[in-house]
Amino acid sequence: MSLLQVRGLTKRFGKTDVLRGIDLDVQPGERIAILGASGSGKSTLLRCLNFMEMPDVGTVTLDGKVIGPSGKYRESELTQVRQRVGMVFQQFNLFPHMTAVGNVMEGLRTVRRQSKAEARTRAEKELARVGLADKAETYPAHLSGGQKQRVAIARALAMDPEMLLFDEPTSALDPELVGEVLNVIRSLADEGRTMLLVTHELGFAYHVATRIIFLADGTIHEQGTPDEVLKNPRQERTRAFLASHKQFSF
Amino acid sequence: MKWDFASVFDNTDALLAGAAGTLRLFAICLVCGLSLGLVVGLGRYARSKWLYWPATAFVEFFRNTPVLVQILWFYFALPILLPFTINPLAAAALGISLNSAAFSAEIYRGGIQSIDKGQWDGARAIGMGWGQAMRRIILPQAIKRMLPALTNRAIEIFKMSTLASAVAYVELLQQGKLIASLNFNPIEAYTAVAVIFFVFLWPLVQFTYVLERRLGRSE
Ligand SMILES: Nc1ncnc2c1ncn2[C@@H]1O[C@H](COP(=O)(O)OP(=O)(O)OP(=O)(O)O)[C@@H](O)[C@H]1O
Ligand SMILES: [Mg+2]
């Protein structure tokens, strides 16, 4: 059974149709890279999957259970979903008034109501996993971009998500810091975690993703294995997109 | 002419009682005004029109009417409409607190709005509800930014306390008036009152300067 099933997902902002009927099935353990030009709706798609944006039409089914009926979402249901579908942002969105370990503990303390000791043990474990055990007491302002993003990943992992959404996790980083974040994401892939990843790192997508989705005009324009989509794209627009990106990567 | 502060020092007890009254009124209005202001400010920030419109009406009403008029209204008019009398402290505290709530509501709203939307995203993505995100993530950062503006409000509240003399509440100015009329020494009495206010307020104002500098540096 699919972990996540999306049917006819439509989202508009004002007069622009950003997503026009997305159908998507995500199997447990799948790693899907989402590609697409700027403004093609990649972020909006991810944000609809954990209901940071409310879909206008369509259904999202998580682990066999439909979320909402469409248009009538209960806040308590959505906060549950967001714990099960973790999200990592381009701009990290760490809480600047909390230390690294405080950031990771926050969900456990405030949402899960765990004791301080319990939350701290867990948070330290997650920080160690992303290689930042020694930065537990450091405030985000004193961390590098790569370290911030790794704390953000640890913060998401602490909630035991069944699925992870990454929205351009390395796009805000200096080039020399991209590798450390991609390594962490790769290690999560090696654990068999289910993830959706919006990225412009085509090489990383090729090696780590099990499936590539190319978004254009608010629909899935082309999808397939990395070899199919990245090496032998069938659609003209996919080819044009890849061509423009290769210019940058060399 | 000759300054005669002895006639003021003879009335130290009266001035001390006045200072105590000023501090009491200040403390009540500070707590009530700034906490009610937070509630109203959240209402002004809310998307629901059932919260937004009452909060907006409140702010507009109390920002556009003089505090002195409100105090007199609560003291003289309200008891006619309602079956109980109201003492000078309550009338003054109501007027000043409601006015401060209206002004601080706008400070809170502005501070909350100034927080990057990404902070909401970060909070909601780990499953926080609106209230949890507001309390744990947004407000702590917003209040830090608002601190200079809120201490300025506190200074205003302190100064507004003198309006309570209009309903004969025992505070510094009221006691100054009393001393002046009993001893025929308005120059000395009112000078003493001004100096006492200065002594209270000067450190508070210096504190806001320090805050402004500190926060300016840390951002
Ligand atoms: N909250 C919003 N309000 C109005 N319009 C929005 C909002 N969010 C996104 N949009 C619009 O929706 C379209 C898709 O945006 P989205 O951020 O999903 O694109 P994207 O593929 O992630 O682009 P990028 O590569 O630049 O991140 C854009 O035209 C954008 O301007
Ligand atoms: Mg985007």
Side-chain angles (χ1 to χ4, degrees), chain A residues 225-246:
Chain A
T225 65
D227 273 315
E228 286 166 352
V229 177
L230 294 176
K231 292 228 163 129
N232 306 296
R234 290 179 312 252
Q235 302 290 332
E236 186 50 44
R237 290 188 67 174
T238 318
R239 271 184 228 129
F241 173 83
L242 292 175
S244 71
H245 267 264
K246 280 187 185 120

Side-chain angles (χ1 to χ4, degrees), chain A residues 47 51-52 75 79 82-83 87 89 93-98 106-107 110-111 113 155 159, chain B residues 116-130 132 135-138 140-141:
Chain A
R47 293 171 64 86
F51 296 88
M52 304 280 284
E75 181 69 11
T79 55
R82 293 187 197 117
Q83 291 174 56
M87 189 165 203
F89 305 89
N93 297 338
L94 290 184
F95 310 132
H97 57 304
M98 296 177 186
E106 185 56 26
T110 303
V111 180
R113 307 220 172 277
R155 180 174 70 180
M159 305 306 284
Chain B
D116 175 30
K117 220 185 116 283
Q119 292 294 307
W120 283 102
D121 282 351
R124 292 167 72 212
I126 50 174
M128 284 194 187
W130 191 91
Q132 290 173 329
R135 184 170 53 81
R136 295 285 307 163
I137 308 302
I138 306 300
Q141 296 180 60

